[in-house]
Amino acid sequence: MAVKYWLMKTEPTTYSIDDLAREKDQTTCWEGVRNYQARNTLRDDIQEGDRVLFYHSACKEPAVVGTAVVTRGGYPDSHAFDRRSKYYDKKSDPENPTWFMVDIKLDQKFEKPVTLAQLRDRSALKGMVLLQKGSRLSVQGVKKKEFDTIVKMASAT
DNA sequence: GCCAACGTTGGC
DNA sequence: GCCAACGTTGGC
């Protein structure tokens, strides 16, 4: 199966790329996604070895701040079964889970984040889901070309 | 099954 | 903090 490319949003006040960098093995489970479209992507489409753009949203300077690698494809989000978790959902049945998550490992933290404004400036990126009006999907596909363009932008001086 | 009301996201 | 866009809920 070919490697695929994704973008995942997070609010840095909740969980930032520096939090990921501090994790054991720089790996974490991407729990708490509670949107059906994103759930379908996590459950059905994201596989081990896929690449991820790590995006900071709802903050001073929204930006892609680094990349990560998927180390485990979609599996049930156990937080939904944990009454004490803020992601608890009593409607999710452990026998037939509603919500899914993946594991990701930090690949590269960009020295210079690629800001939303910079992304909008690139005509090659015009088709990105992130840049569409009203788009608020927290887990979304990106094209290889888009992924490569953004990584290149991060390393340009 | 429609749709108004409500809650959330997220850029600005 | 504002507000537009979107998703979900629930009455009918």
Side-chain angles (χ1 to χ4, degrees):
Chain A
M1 199 62 172
V3 169
K4 289 182 299 244
Y5 300 84
W6 310 99
L7 181 144
M8 297 189 189
K9 292 182 190 174
T10 175
E11 301 188 16
T13 52
T14 302
Y15 191 88
S16 74
I17 194 159
D18 291 319
D19 292 320
L20 178 58
R22 278 190 292 268
E23 302 278 0
K24 179 169 176 291
D25 292 332
Q26 301 194 324
T27 299
T28 190
C29 57
W30 204 250
E31 84 281 11
V33 173
R34 297 290 179 267
N35 166 282
Y36 286 101
Q37 196 178 342
R39 185 283 307 272
N40 292 346
T41 301
L42 291 170
R43 184 188 58 191
D44 305 333
D45 303 328
I46 301 187
Q47 298 182 315
E48 187 178 337
D50 286 356
R51 308 290 306 276
V52 174
L53 293 169
F54 197 100
Y55 180 81
H56 282 175
S57 68
C59 56
K60 208 180 208 174
E61 183 108 279
V64 177
V65 292
T67 60
V69 177
V70 176
T71 54
R72 183 176 178 186
Y75 64 103
D77 182 348
S78 54
H79 299 73
F81 316 133
D82 178 359
R83 209 167 271 281
R84 291 155 309 174
S85 168
K86 67 170 174 170
Y87 299 120
Y88 176 68
D89 178 1
K90 66 174 188 296
K91 295 197 297 291
S92 186
D93 170 9
E95 298 300 312
N96 184 21
T98 307
W99 304 115
F100 285 73
M101 60 185 177
V102 299
D103 289 353
I104 63 169
K105 179 185 171 94
L106 180 65
D107 177 28
Q108 179 191 5
K109 180 188 166 184
F110 293 161
E111 269 176 48
K112 291 203 69 180
V114 181
T115 66
L116 181 59
Q118 286 176 280
L119 298 176
R120 289 199 193 284
D121 262 358
R122 282 289 178 119
S123 56
L125 300 177
K126 267 216 305 256
M128 280 187 74
V129 175
L130 181 73
L131 304 183
Q132 305 314 305
K133 186 175 177 183
S135 161
R136 47 187 238 196
L137 248 192
S138 65
V139 178
Q140 52 182 257
V142 300
K143 298 197 179 75
K144 178 181 193 316
K145 203 178 70 184
E146 296 165 344
F147 185 96
D148 291 342
T149 298
I150 291 167
V151 169
K152 203 174 291 175
M153 288 167 76
S155 53
T157 44

